[in-house]
Structures are given as structure tokens and as C-alpha cells.
Amino acid sequence: MNTPDIALGAIWYIVFLFSTTCHEAAHSLVAKWGGDLTAAEGGQVTLNPIPHIRRSPVGMVVIPILSFLLGGWMIGWASAPFDPEWQRRYPRRSAWMALAGPAANFTLMILAGIAIRVGVTVGYFRTPQFIGGYSGLVASAQSPDPTFLTSALSILFILNLILGTFNLIPVPPLDGHAGIMVLMPENTAHRYLDLVRRASGYALIGIVIAWRLFDEIFQPVFLFALHVLYAGVGKA
């Protein structure tokens, strides 16, 4: 691995760490607002990544580095603790807690998109001519001489689009499976939670299903996001 690859990997990891920390802190904060202090008492309502790394060292250190070495981009996971009894008493509050993580990711994506769009408008960034996969989106915010800022913004955009979209898939253990309870009457939510708990041993199967679905879901989401980002400034 050469020096540019190492530098790009460092930028990916900084952005990954920040994005994942924001995701988990959002879960924890909304849970606190809803009356569950489990994550708050565990120090999770923070943008300091250390408490989140301590809770999920494999998902926040090992897997991101391995995924970059093998694929040129990063993915991983973290988690925020919550009280299952609180979830059962307040399924709708629990649903908002679950949705807060993806909401944080989409907020970061929008902020990055605004910064990229401003950079393109003033001529500091160039519009990409070709996007070839997740790592290829780094071209979306490049100046003639790529900098930390241009690379970080493009990675911030694509990574948070990935994290937000993937976590909204309504399959346990992803956030979307709890988020859909915001649409359910309380009795229905209780029956749904009973079903999910009985199937808790099949979480790995859920991840495999979600990943297969993601291949079909993300491509149109990705292209739509690029169309919105570069609308009026040339083809993406």
C-alpha cells in the first residue's frame, strides 16, 4: 500500500468514526429524551468516539480497516444500549430512537452535499465525469489537486448515504426493524416485538438478507442522490 492509499484510508477512517459516533449518539440522546437513561448512563450521549469504540471495538476498528484493505471503502457497526422493558412500554418512543441514527446520517450527508454543491458552484470542486462504485465517489468533490477537505466531503456524503439507507432496511437487527413501529398501534407493536424477540437468534440471517436487498436498493438511491447533488451543473 502506497502513501496516497494510506492517506486516503486515514481520511476514510476519520469520516467513518465521526459518522458512526454521530449515529450512536443520536440513538442515545433520543432514548434519553424518551425516558430511557441506559445509554446516557453508559456515556453514549457523546460525540467522543472512545465510549463507542469501547463498546464495539470489532465493528468500529477491525472491520472498517479490513473492509478498506479488501474493498477500498469502509463499513462497520456500533451499538447503543437500551432497556427492553422501556421499549415494550413505549414502542413508539423506541421507534423514534431507532430512526434517530439514520436521521443523523442523512443530516451529515445533506450538510456534505451542500458544501460540495457550493464548492462546485464557485469552481473549487469539479463535477465528476464518471462514478465507478462507492470508492469512486471520492471524485465527486475533487479539486484538480485533491485535498483533505475535498476527499473528506465526498466520503462524508457517500458513507452517510450508505449508512442511512442500509440501517433503514426493516430487518432485525437494523434500525429499520424498530423504526417501523412508529406506524403501528401499540397492541400491534407489542405483538411485533414478541415476534422479533423469538427470532433474535437469527440476527446474522437478517444481516445477510439486508445486504442482498441493499444491492438492489442502493443503486437507484445513489443515482438519485447524485442527480439532486449535481442538478443544473452538468451530468454526474
Side-chain angles (χ1 to χ4, degrees):
M1 183 173 287
N2 56 35
T3 301
D5 288 338
I6 294 172
L8 183 61
I11 296 171
W12 263 100
Y13 189 66
I14 290 169
V15 174
F16 169 82
L17 206 60
F18 175 67
S19 302
T20 308
T21 297
C22 288
H23 179 108
E24 298 305 327
H27 281 319
S28 303
L29 180 60
V30 173
K32 180 181 177 181
W33 288 345
D36 181 9
L37 301 180
T38 306
E41 291 173 350
Q44 306 292 119
V45 185
T46 179
L47 294 181
N48 178 357
I50 300 302
H52 304 284
I53 291 174
R54 286 174 178 164
R55 180 170 172 81
S56 305
V58 174
M60 290 196 72
V61 179
V62 178
I63 296 302
I65 292 173
L66 283 177
S67 62
F68 181 78
L69 292 175
L70 295 174
W73 60 291
M74 285 190 184
I75 197 67
W77 66 81
S79 64
F82 67 93
D83 181 358
E85 292 306 315
W86 169 81
Q87 183 183 54
R88 188 166 186 82
R89 286 197 303 272
Y90 307 108
R92 187 158 293 181
R93 296 185 192 181
S94 172
W96 287 118
M97 174 198 71
L99 293 173
N105 293 130
F106 288 127
T107 299
L108 291 175
M109 181 205 73
I110 291 169
L111 292 175
I114 291 171
I116 291 170
R117 183 60 183 257
V118 170
V120 169
T121 301
V122 301
Y124 183 68
F125 300 153
R126 61 178 170 81
T127 305
Q129 299 303 309
F130 174 76
I131 300 298
Y134 304 149
S135 60
L137 187 65
V138 175
S140 71
Q142 293 302 302
S143 59
D145 297 309
T147 65
F148 175 87
L149 176 62
T150 59
S151 297
L153 282 175
S154 58
I155 293 169
L156 188 67
F157 182 87
I158 183 61
L159 180 59
N160 280 282
L161 181 60
I162 291 171
L163 292 174
T165 304
F166 184 68
N167 276 287
L168 281 182
I169 296 175
V171 175
L174 301 179
D175 296 328
H177 96 276
I180 61 175
M181 290 191 298
V182 76
L183 303 174
M184 297 179 184
E186 189 167 308
N187 289 340
T188 302
H190 287 157
R191 292 194 295 271
Y192 174 73
L193 285 172
D194 290 338
L195 177 64
V196 169
R197 287 177 185 177
R198 286 197 295 270
S200 61
Y202 299 96
L204 181 58
I205 295 176
I207 290 292
V208 172
I209 293 172
W211 195 250
R212 293 295 300 271
L213 289 174
F214 187 68
D215 285 341
E216 303 298 325
I217 293 169
F218 188 68
Q219 186 69 12
V221 171
F222 177 45
L223 294 176
F224 175 77
L226 289 185
H227 174 76
V228 172
L229 179 60
Y230 294 111
V233 294
K235 293 184 177 181

